[in-house]
Amino acid sequence: MRDVYVLGAGQSSFGSFPEETYLTLFDDAFDAALDSVDGEFDPGEIEEAYLGTLGVGGRQIGLSGPAVTEHLGLHGVPTTRVENACAASGFAFRQAVTAVKSGVVDVALAGGYEVMTDASSDHTRWWLGVSGETEWERTSGTTFAGVYAQMASAHMDEYGTTAEDLSRVAVKNHANGAKNPKAHLGFECSLEDAVSAPSVADPLNLYHCCPTTDGASAAIVVSEEVAREASDAAVQVAGAGAASGRVGLFQRESLTSVPASVTAGESAYEQAGIAPDDLDFAEVHDCFAIAELLAYEDLGFCERGEAGRLLREGVTDPDGELPVNTSGGLKSKGHPIGATGTGQIVEAFKQLRGEAYVQVDDPKYGLTHNVGGSGGGVTVHVLERGEFA
Amino acid sequence: MRGIAAAGAYVPRFRLTTDELAEAWGTSHASGIERKAVPAADEDALTMAVEAAERALSSDAVDRDDLTLAAVATTTTPAEEGELLPRLARALDLPRSVATATVGGHTAAGAEALSRALDAEGPALVVAADCPAGEPAEGDHPLGAGAAAFVVDDDAPATVTGTAWYTEETPGVRFRERGGEEVASLDVTTYQRNAIREAVTEAVSSLPVDPADADAASVHQPDGRFPYRATADLPVSNGAVAAGTVVDRIGDAGAATVPLGLLAALDADDTGSDEGDAESAGTSIAAFFGGGTAAAVAVGGGLAVEGIDDLEDGTTIDYASYLRERGYVVSGDVAGGGAHVSLPNWRRSLDQRYRLVAGVCPECGGVSFPPEGACQSCHSRIEFEEFEAPRTGTVRALTVIGQGGAPPEFAELQQRDGAYAVAIVELEAAAGRVRLPAQVTDADPADVDVGDEVRATVRRIYEQEGVPRYGVKFEPIESE
Ligand SMILES: [Zn+2]
């Protein structure tokens, strides 16, 4: 198997752009990815594309992937649309990595897109609901927020986690996102604001939930040979872990953990030959505040039940031992479902090249963690600073 | 001789006081009614019937597998045409060969259903369940809700000693036009009162018992004063009428009022002694009237009625909540589409939704719910050994879906019932732990916590394309 590199990665602005289409948003992301390549690169070298989207709203429910690549002028390039809910582009990235690693292609495009804010709120809610477990969770009257809220209630009951612990995720991620010009909600919030926000699905309030976002993101995945030719500072994909889990929370062994995150994380660490201690930063899937806490525990950043303490002690602040979600995370940067996974790759790519808006000091290893639904599919990637020059 | 072998009563949790009603309208048309029962947004005649029947069938005196007939009396079938008894039979897990009878159209329907059961052979289930609606400014004022279930069998502790009928055209008394939701009456007061009194007198006088000997009489009771007037020409004591009157506490529950009054009488007459104690056994009379038909039933002896305390219990609500719960002020039209669970798929899961059927893995002994696909513990592809999980359990995880936050198909429920709690409930079965997500109903969501004990109940889940779907929800078990 060959080593695999990210040659370039970029995203459109994340936000509410009801007059944009998934095609125009992906144009922006693709341009940003091309711009990020430090050397010479011809998009005509792209041999294969994997694009993630849930397809909120039902627009172009079939063949939206080829529609994107044709729109970009990548005429004829075989394109596969990947659907794994909020982890769609985490899995699209994984597909691109696998294609290059196996030697099938030398250059693959990974990306994702979602347009959500142009539909009526009922219509949007219907679409979000359909990627939870439909037969039992949905028909019990829950929403996505509701299922994560159930996990939060169980975590609070088991470990004494508090609403304030959850709110610290919002405070931290908003502080980071406020410095990211491409963030959807680029403003700061105080702990007081975050704690006292109106309830969405108790115990989760508005500040414990990510927004409904439009956006696109893209990454150019290449072999070592191509990377060396086109760049002095490509970023290596050191570990690519992924796992599936039961789509319904009630069908899983634990209500306070996402088993697929644990498995995907272990596999990514093993491939990279590192331990969680070796990480310099992480972008984790904080669709709801509790998800960030679960990620800390599932990915081995701390022991079970200790996630609240990490936040209280500032361990995951930008100046802490392990900064998490320096981009602003899903909470502040935004969560355009299908674009989120490769959006995280964009931030890791920037960090490892020293180009992030909230830059951590001289990082070597970064992790991205992308969760579909409430844990039905998870990808974890470990990225490593490129060592050629 | 046939009689009542087991019985169950069910009255919805909410109550509206007539004082509150009078405050809202400046007057009230609910004479002799102190408070009335209010069906919650997820209740209807079917769910109330299931609950009352489940209570009756909890008695050791009857095995549901032996039932030969199931009859339901109601004036408020959830759909004007469509499933009622098949749903009841499925929810109660009755034999598929059970004979069915749905009786409606007037408030004496319970007598007709009871009569079918008395004529049948073998144990028969009779349920009267009703939640009539009326024009809110007046017709609605006395209307309540409730359900009474009887298991009729040979050699029962409460013996039916006689039935009698009297039928005469009596137009304009109480009726509902085709396609209408609201019961109406022309209120020709004296005519109406006289006609009903005459019919009740004729029917009761034809019973093979002396009405003067009745310890209790549950007489047609559209309001609290009417049963006394209706028996004015009979030698029935006021004390007996009082013992069989429940309308003062639950309102006019249509076809279910007289049956509930009879259950109250039978429960009061439960001496706790074994059969053969005819000396101490009292006599109860039920006098039904509906649509021109009067029917009288005499019962000797009594029995304990599961759920009869519901008559006294309840949570008081204000008038605005009342209008919402009953759907008087909610359109029910919701945009955006519904969850994609097809009706054939829903039907396929009825064993789970009604009876909590889970599966044990023969390989590892792990429990899966629903019992489909690979084992949720060891992930082997096996044939599950199915079992019915216990109907009580514990809340393990919980959320409250606030106003406006519900999926579109639950928006109407939310508009009517307010914020609702959704739990992951754990049922501790002998075979292991069964977990499922479900709404917590009949509870203020703010009062529900992880760790609370809950009990299964069948409710209306949502309606899509005109077809209501029913399934399990959980209600708190009051810890006292
Ligand atoms: Zn097993």
Side-chain angles (χ1 to χ4, degrees), chain B residues 137-450:
Chain B
E138 185 173 343
D140 164 75
H141 288 199
L143 300 178
F150 305 81
V151 176
V152 174
D153 203 357
D154 301 331
D155 306 319
T159 308
V160 175
T161 53
T163 56
W165 298 82
Y166 180 85
T167 193
E168 169 65 300
E169 180 168 335
T170 318
V173 172
R174 173 174 174 145
F175 62 97
R176 185 153 52 94
E177 288 179 76
R178 172 167 285 278
E181 294 282 331
E182 298 171 346
V183 291
S185 163
L186 297 185
D187 280 333
V188 188
T189 316
T190 309
Y191 149 76
Q192 165 168 320
R193 193 183 299 158
N194 290 347
I196 297 173
R197 187 177 61 235
E198 188 186 317
V200 165
T201 304
E202 290 291 338
V204 171
S205 301
S206 305
L207 287 172
V209 296
D210 182 352
D213 293 340
D215 301 288
S218 173
V219 180
H220 179 61
Q221 40 196 287
D223 65 43
R225 287 196 214 152
F226 200 89
Y228 298 94
R229 289 176 170 155
T231 49
D233 294 344
L234 287 165
V236 178
S237 70
N238 280 355
V241 173
T245 298
V246 294
V247 70
D248 54 319
R249 285 155 288 165
I250 65 163
D252 174 359
T257 331
V258 168
L260 275 165
L262 177 60
L263 288 188
L266 296 179
D267 187 70
D269 200 27
D270 175 35
T271 53
S273 58
D274 292 329
E275 75 267 29
D277 195 6
E279 299 285 302
S280 67
T283 297
S284 301
I285 289 175
F288 298 80
F289 179 85
T293 292
V297 179
V299 183
L303 80 169
V305 176
E306 183 75 22
I308 199 72
D309 293 343
D310 278 8
L311 289 170
E312 317 303 329
D313 299 342
T315 303
T316 305
I317 55 172
D318 62 26
Y319 193 64
S321 306
Y322 170 76
L323 291 176
R324 277 175 36 206
E325 288 288 346
R326 293 237 48 188
Y328 281 130
V329 293
V330 172
S331 76
D333 294 333
V334 178
H340 256 332
V341 179
S342 69
L343 277 168
N345 275 223
W346 188 272
R347 179 171 182 260
R348 181 187 160 88
S349 66
L350 290 180
D351 283 341
Q352 282 68 49
R353 297 191 187 274
Y354 291 145
R355 306 306 305 174
L356 299 167
V357 172
V360 184
C361 169
E363 297 278 319
C364 75
V367 169
S368 294
F369 183 95
E372 275 196 339
C375 165
Q376 287 168 22
S377 299
C378 73
H379 314 293
S380 310
R381 296 190 70 188
I382 40 81
E383 283 289 319
F384 288 104
E385 293 158 12
E386 294 194 346
F387 68 95
E388 211 172 289
R391 300 185 76 79
T392 56
T394 310
V395 171
R396 287 297 175 217
L398 186 72
T399 185
V400 179
I401 306 297
Q403 199 65 259
E409 69 275 17
F410 290 92
E412 185 193 346
L413 169 75
Q414 186 163 77
Q415 285 167 13
R416 289 172 60 171
D417 196 39
Y420 58 80
V422 187
I424 292 180
V425 175
E426 193 170 291
L427 309 167
E428 203 63 56
R433 191 187 70 191
V434 177
R435 269 185 186 162
L436 73 158
Q439 275 176 33
V440 182
T441 189
D442 273 8
D444 180 343
D447 293 341
V448 185
D449 287 308
V450 173

